[in-house]
Amino acid sequence: MDQLKQKISELSQELEKIPMVKLVSQKVGVEAGLIAIGIMSFLFFLVFFGLGASLIVHVVGILYPAYMSFKAIESPAEDDDTMWLTYWVVFAVYNFADRFIDYLFFWVPCYFLVKLIVLVYMFFPQTKGAIKIYRMVFRPIFKVYEAQIDQALNFAAEEARKKVN
């Protein structure tokens, strides 16, 4: 129980670095970590039962990473830039593939919950899942086909230039 309280306290300290979260926490009189856990539990419940699941998955998978990417760009450190750039590469391929997978699996129970868990795994700082997925899956594929992809992109760019001129 003490470990749980300590984790909530650590989460609260991190969240209170965000002025809006700190203000809400003070107004409500509840630790920011508990508010975050409550919101996450509520969202989990909604996704589990498919209520607004697609919207929630997109908000979590796009808005939070977009804000954290902004923070990374503004920070002097480069490791967070790499983390978020890697996330967007993996997310782009995942999102493209999801357009096709979604037609097959949208009816599977907890499908959106699995999508949400995958996205959170990808950007969660403790797991750095996007970096792991990139290194294990996408990097080897991109390295093998890099020359062909570059050639195709150069050809497409040249054809576009011809059409414009």
Side-chain angles (χ1 to χ4, degrees), residues 11 15 21 31-42:
L11 178 62
L15 291 172
V21 173
E31 275 188 78
L34 290 175
I35 293 171
I37 291 170
I39 291 170
M40 287 186 288
S41 299
F42 180 69

Side-chain angles (χ1 to χ4, degrees), residues 6-164:
Q6 180 183 354
K7 291 293 183 187
I8 292 171
S9 178
E10 290 172 10
L11 178 62
S12 294
Q13 287 175 348
E14 281 299 311
L15 291 172
E16 286 178 0
K17 292 177 183 176
I18 304 168
M20 180 64 93
V21 173
K22 186 174 183 176
L23 178 68
V24 169
S25 174
Q26 289 171 344
K27 292 275 186 192
V28 176
V30 176
E31 275 188 78
L34 290 175
I35 293 171
I37 291 170
I39 291 170
M40 287 186 288
S41 299
F42 180 69
L43 292 175
F44 177 85
F45 172 81
L46 291 176
V47 171
F48 184 79
F49 289 105
L51 305 169
S54 180
L55 175 64
I56 293 167
V57 167
H58 283 92
V59 166
V60 171
I62 296 172
L63 290 184
Y64 175 77
Y67 179 73
M68 294 309 292
S69 297
F70 156 75
K71 298 286 281 184
I73 291 167
E74 296 299 317
S75 79
E78 292 184 9
D79 59 332
D80 55 356
D81 295 357
T82 301
M83 162 60 191
W84 289 107
L85 186 57
T86 305
Y87 173 83
W88 289 114
V89 169
V90 174
F91 178 82
V93 175
Y94 169 83
N95 200 36
F96 178 77
D98 186 53
R99 297 287 175 228
F100 303 102
I101 294 169
D102 200 40
Y103 290 113
L104 300 173
F105 294 110
F106 74 93
W107 55 271
V108 174
C110 300
Y111 172 64
F112 284 104
L113 184 60
V114 170
K115 285 173 66 168
L116 182 63
I117 290 169
V118 168
L119 291 172
V120 171
Y121 167 76
M122 284 174 30
F123 68 64
F124 200 62
Q126 284 75 11
T127 60
K128 295 187 179 179
I131 291 173
K132 292 174 184 171
I133 293 168
Y134 173 78
R135 288 183 181 153
M136 288 188 324
V137 179
F138 298 121
R139 187 175 188 277
I141 293 169
F142 285 150
K143 282 296 188 184
V144 168
Y145 296 104
E146 184 176 13
Q148 293 93 326
I149 294 169
D150 287 344
Q151 185 179 8
L153 289 173
N154 289 335
F155 176 77
E158 188 58 38
E159 289 299 313
R161 267 189 232 106
K162 287 178 186 176
K163 298 285 184 199
V164 172

